[in-house]
Amino acid sequence: MTETGRFAPSPSGRMHLGNLLCSLLAWLSAKQAGGKIVLRIEDLDRARCPRVYADQLEADLARLGLGWDEGGSTGGPNGPYYQSQRDEIYHSYYKKLEEAGLVYPCFCSRAQLHAASAPHREDGTPVYAGLCRGLTHEQRRQKALQRPPAMRLVVPDETIAFTDGHLGRYAENLKTDCGDFVLRRADGVFAYQLAVVVDDALMGVTQVVRGADLLESTPRQLYLYRLLDLPAPRFYHLPLLLAPDGRRLSKRDGDVSLEQLQRKYTPAQIVGRLAFLAGLLEEPEEATPAQLIPVFHWDKVPKTDIRLPKDLF
Ligand code: GLU
């Protein structure tokens, strides 16, 4: 089977440094294994991800030398490659879970979910305590008259462990660390967790390279792979980039977007600087992605958050 990596951007604006680093390493990891890259546009949130951003993203990737073998507007055998066009596919997998009796409606408001009395993860996000799990048929009918429900997956009290190709072993208890999670939002949009699993499996993805902010989503996704009887890829999570003062980079704070970078640097200068950050080059010299294939190795990539040197960008 051909080794297959992917770019899975959510185009809600121009790419920033974190997206760029992730795209470069996903590309290198797949290409060094003699594999290919699929470009999937994660525009489930249609209002935030208009098509112009996806088109811009393709132009940006191409300019940096990060080509893809199938997907995006290029198309390919496993399309469509825009999540906004894959509703029927998600629905067919969602139905399997529903028919297995594993899905229930949740009418909780945002305020209820975030209530101080609800258990929370370390990062402050609430763990769903199963408030709506035991509603009777009649209660569900009554509540549905007031508001449309989100649909949640029943999770067992089970710890899911896996070995990340870069960060090593990670484990999470589905019930106590996460709780029953949403498969379809109240507005009818299928949730990222379901879409990403179905897409990676149907697109033949064998390796997923992405930011460590998604590490804790992985046990949920592995559980879905198991329930849906789909083959799971290997995962490689990347450390996050921090601003020189130690803050998390964010678009809101105006942190380095590609738009700013392109005014100052050529594509080869941008790629070389990213490779330097990733430990692949000793100096931030110019490089193309193709030139980096022979020097790429996961052992060189830092495992803890990377703080941007002050004058690098
Ligand atoms: N679309 C997600 C993002 O841009 C990435 C999802 C994934 O890699 O699984 O953050």
Side-chain angles (χ1 to χ4, degrees):
M1 185 153 115
T2 319
E3 197 65 32
T4 303
R6 41 80 146 181
F7 298 146
S10 303
S12 59
R14 285 300 278 280
M15 285 196 280
H16 56 74
L17 270 184
N19 308 138
L20 291 170
L21 182 67
C22 186
S23 308
L24 175 62
L25 295 183
W27 191 92
L28 288 172
S29 179
K31 293 292 164 177
Q32 199 187 51
K36 59 177 186 172
I37 284 279
V38 171
L39 169 61
R40 179 175 67 248
I41 305 293
E42 301 218 320
D43 57 353
L44 280 174
D45 207 334
R46 285 152 228 222
R48 287 186 60 228
C49 300
R51 179 64 186 255
V52 284
Y53 285 150
D55 293 345
Q56 173 78 63
L57 189 129
E58 289 197 352
D60 288 340
L61 287 170
R63 202 171 304 123
L64 291 166
L66 295 169
W68 56 96
D69 302 280
E70 62 180 72
S73 62
T74 312
N78 300 310
Y81 293 90
Y82 295 81
Q83 288 190 327
S84 57
Q85 297 171 15
R86 296 176 63 80
D87 249 26
E88 276 175 35
I89 300 172
Y90 303 141
H91 191 252
S92 65
Y93 283 88
Y94 170 81
K95 254 183 84 180
K96 292 184 192 207
L97 299 171
E98 200 175 48
E99 283 163 5
L102 294 173
V103 179
Y104 66 88
C106 168
F107 301 91
C108 291
S109 65
R110 189 166 271 274
Q112 277 171 307
L113 295 175
H114 290 263
S117 55
H120 283 71
R121 303 177 80 107
E122 267 170 40
D123 68 359
T125 51
V127 173
Y128 188 63
L131 229 57
C132 291
R133 203 204 256 212
L135 296 179
T136 62
H137 189 71
E138 181 53 23
Q139 283 169 319
R140 286 180 180 160
R141 205 185 59 79
Q142 285 295 332
K143 282 181 184 276
L145 300 173
Q146 315 292 321
R147 55 155 65 220
M151 303 304 289
R152 288 186 186 267
L153 179 75
V154 174
V155 300
D157 184 359
E158 180 184 333
T159 297
I160 306 263
F162 76 102
T163 303
D164 186 86
H166 187 48
L167 298 182
R169 190 174 184 279
Y170 181 77
E172 190 157 284
N173 181 286
L174 290 175
K175 181 168 179 236
T176 53
D177 294 327
C178 160
D180 297 341
F181 58 91
V182 173
L183 293 179
R184 205 178 71 194
R185 301 186 335 202
D187 61 4
V189 175
F190 287 101
Y192 157 73
Q193 307 291 358
L194 178 71
V196 78
V197 165
V198 169
D199 288 348
D200 279 335
L202 298 189
M203 293 176 185
V205 170
T206 58
Q207 50 171 279
V208 165
V209 176
R210 61 187 181 190
D213 51 333
L214 290 167
L215 182 65
E216 59 181 35
S217 281
T218 311
R220 270 171 271 177
Q221 293 169 13
L222 287 169
Y223 184 57
L224 283 174
Y225 279 107
R226 193 211 293 169
L227 288 180
L228 294 170
D229 203 15
L230 293 170
R234 264 171 297 115
F235 292 92
Y236 298 82
H237 287 87
L238 298 176
L240 300 180
L241 292 181
L242 304 179
D245 62 7
R247 272 180 308 117
R248 281 261 305 257
L249 289 179
S250 86
K251 275 188 213 165
R252 214 185 34 231
D253 296 331
D255 283 323
V256 252
S257 75
L258 190 54
E259 195 171 348
Q260 288 163 279
L261 293 177
Q262 278 175 342
R263 275 190 234 123
K264 277 169 83 178
Y265 304 108
T266 64
Q269 286 173 325
I270 297 173
V271 169
R273 281 169 162 75
L274 291 168
F276 170 71
L277 275 181
L280 305 181
L281 292 178
E282 294 193 356
E283 298 294 332
E285 61 203 277
E286 295 185 14
T288 62
Q291 286 166 342
L292 294 169
I293 295 176
V295 300
F296 172 75
H297 199 290
W298 278 110
D299 283 350
K300 297 181 182 169
V301 180
K303 292 195 196 309
T304 52
D305 291 350
I306 304 174
R307 198 187 272 225
L308 288 178
K310 223 179 166 74
D311 300 317
L312 188 64
F313 287 103

